[in-house]
């Protein structure tokens, strides 16, 4: 059984990031026994990587983010700065690891798996989506998901992913920019300028730049169907998805969980 949680309302830019790690600790400690898929629409956020915090222009970059109405936050996983807002969707997959198994095993395979799944999902919704880094993209990565901008040959990054592994559990987080790419492009242009990092602003896009009519709601619906289908893959049927109310989840995951052991 997999638990599906559509968060509904943001807890706030930094609190949403922190809650991802609380969920990881809950799965690690057994407070949450089943795999969990959490989706939410974030508040405008520039999520900086650990490398960014050591750059001379980091303070200036934080200021640039605030000027655009985006909260600067620092995540514990991933590479360089990424941005998202209410036209975006964050998807957290949080899975336990059986006793005696190595949580780090399958690290690269998870990147491949989720990149391929999201690219296929976007293609079903009409976008020419592919996996791989495109020159000049923000937070560059081998498993970025990009698509051809409608009416042109230009490629735009739509999805970035990050992963955090602990003893006994792993968290795979995906950030999908689905609607309204202009504010994302504007804030990233200024943030990367302050950090003195390469960026081609034209590569920062949204799914609805690649296929008209894609919305956050249509992506959530397609993702839910995708998760249900995957839950039933295998030689023997397994239980599908169980929907948890987010308020119930908040009550079940205390703040004082034992700190995770990292790899």
């Amino acid at each position: 059984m997999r638990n599906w949680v559509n968060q509904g309302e943001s807890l706030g830019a930094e609190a949403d990031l922190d809650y991802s790690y609380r969920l990881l600790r809950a799965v690690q400690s057994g407070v949450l026994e089943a795999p969990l898929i959490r989706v939410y629409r974030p508040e405008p956020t520039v999520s900086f990587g650990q490398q960014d915090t050591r750059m001379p222009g980091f303070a200036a970059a934080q200021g640039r983010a605030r000027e655009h109405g985006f909260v600067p936050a620092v995540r514990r996983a991933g590479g360089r700065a990424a941005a998202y807002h209410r036209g975006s969707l964050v998807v957290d997959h949080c899975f336990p690891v059986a006793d005696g198994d190595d949580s780090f095993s399958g690290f690269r395979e998870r990147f491949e798996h989720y990149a391929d799944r999201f690219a296929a999902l976007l293609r079903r919704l009409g976008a020419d989506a592919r996996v791989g880094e495109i020159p000049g993209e923000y937070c560059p990565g081998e498993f970025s998901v990009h698509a051809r901008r409608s009416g042109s040959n230009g490629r735009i990054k739509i999805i970035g992913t990050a992963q955090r592994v602990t003893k006994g559990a792993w968290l795979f987080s995906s950030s999908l920019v689905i609607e309204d790419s202009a504010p994302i492009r504007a804030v990233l242009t200024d943030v990367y300028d302050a950090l003195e990092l390469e960026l081609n602003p034209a590569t920062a896009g949204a799914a609805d730049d690649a296929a008209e009519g894609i919305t956050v709601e249509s992506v959530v619906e397609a993702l839910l169907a995708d998760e249900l289908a995957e839950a039933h893959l295998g030689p023997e049927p397994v239980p599908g998805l169980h929907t948890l109310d987010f308020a119930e989840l908040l009550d079940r995951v205390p703040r004082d969980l034992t700190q995770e052991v990292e790899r």
Side-chain angles (χ1 to χ4, degrees), residues 108 110-123 127-134 137 141-148 155-159 161 172:
R108 180 179 176 85
R110 286 191 286 270
F111 275 112
E112 294 174 342
H113 172 73
Y114 286 110
D116 288 342
R117 278 185 63 191
F118 279 118
L121 183 152
L122 290 175
R123 288 196 295 273
D128 177 20
R130 299 288 183 268
V131 177
E133 181 180 340
I134 53 176
E137 72 177 18
E142 179 183 358
F143 299 105
S144 297
V145 177
H146 59 86
R148 182 175 61 83
R155 308 295 294 188
I156 50 176
K157 178 169 180 172
I158 296 175
I159 303 174
T161 56
F172 195 94

Side-chain angles (χ1 to χ4, degrees), residues 224-248:
L224 178 57
D226 201 38
E227 289 292 343
L228 184 58
E230 182 172 83
H232 286 81
L233 290 177
E236 297 293 336
V238 296
L241 295 178
H242 172 67
T243 301
L244 285 177
D245 180 78
F246 186 63
E248 174 190 347

Side-chain angles (χ1 to χ4, degrees), residues 19-252:
Y19 196 70
S20 296
Y21 304 121
R22 285 174 57 195
L23 290 178
L24 179 62
R25 293 193 294 272
V27 169
Q28 176 200 31
S29 63
V31 172
L32 294 178
E33 296 180 0
L36 181 82
I37 303 98
R38 169 205 182 201
V39 299
Y40 67 92
R41 298 180 70 158
E43 294 301 313
T45 309
V46 173
S47 177
F48 290 94
Q50 295 293 324
Q51 296 178 79
D52 297 323
T53 65
R54 296 187 287 272
M55 300 291 288
F58 178 57
Q62 290 177 298
R64 297 279 184 90
R66 294 188 185 96
E67 289 170 5
H68 284 270
F70 283 67
V71 175
V74 178
R75 64 184 183 275
R76 305 184 202 183
R80 295 296 189 177
Y84 39 80
H85 56 13
R86 295 291 294 170
S88 305
L89 189 71
V90 175
V91 183
D92 287 337
H93 286 85
C94 197
F95 276 58
V97 176
D99 289 344
D101 288 349
D102 183 0
S103 301
F104 204 77
S105 177
F107 186 86
R108 180 179 176 85
E109 288 77 7
R110 286 191 286 270
F111 275 112
E112 294 174 342
H113 172 73
Y114 286 110
D116 288 342
R117 278 185 63 191
F118 279 118
L121 183 152
L122 290 175
R123 288 196 295 273
R124 291 197 299 272
L125 294 176
D128 177 20
R130 299 288 183 268
V131 177
E133 181 180 340
I134 53 176
E137 72 177 18
Y138 65 91
C139 193
E142 179 183 358
F143 299 105
S144 297
V145 177
H146 59 86
R148 182 175 61 83
R149 186 184 293 274
S150 182
S152 79
N153 291 322
R155 308 295 294 188
I156 50 176
K157 178 169 180 172
I158 296 175
I159 303 174
T161 56
Q163 189 172 176
R164 189 170 176 82
V165 175
T166 73
K167 182 180 180 181
W170 52 263
L171 167 69
F172 195 94
S173 188
S174 307
S175 174
L176 295 71
V177 182
I178 300 169
E179 306 172 28
D180 192 20
S181 62
I184 300 289
R185 197 158 38 250
V187 69
L188 286 175
T189 298
D190 282 354
V191 163
Y192 273 67
D193 178 67
L195 292 173
E196 298 184 359
L197 294 173
E198 178 186 357
L199 173 70
N200 176 0
T203 63
D208 67 355
D209 294 325
E212 185 177 353
I214 294 182
T215 64
V216 174
E217 290 77 13
S218 69
V219 171
V220 170
E221 182 178 341
L223 180 62
L224 178 57
D226 201 38
E227 289 292 343
L228 184 58
E230 182 172 83
H232 286 81
L233 290 177
E236 297 293 336
V238 296
L241 295 178
H242 172 67
T243 301
L244 285 177
D245 180 78
F246 186 63
E248 174 190 347
L249 193 65
L250 282 171
D251 290 340
R252 288 177 58 184

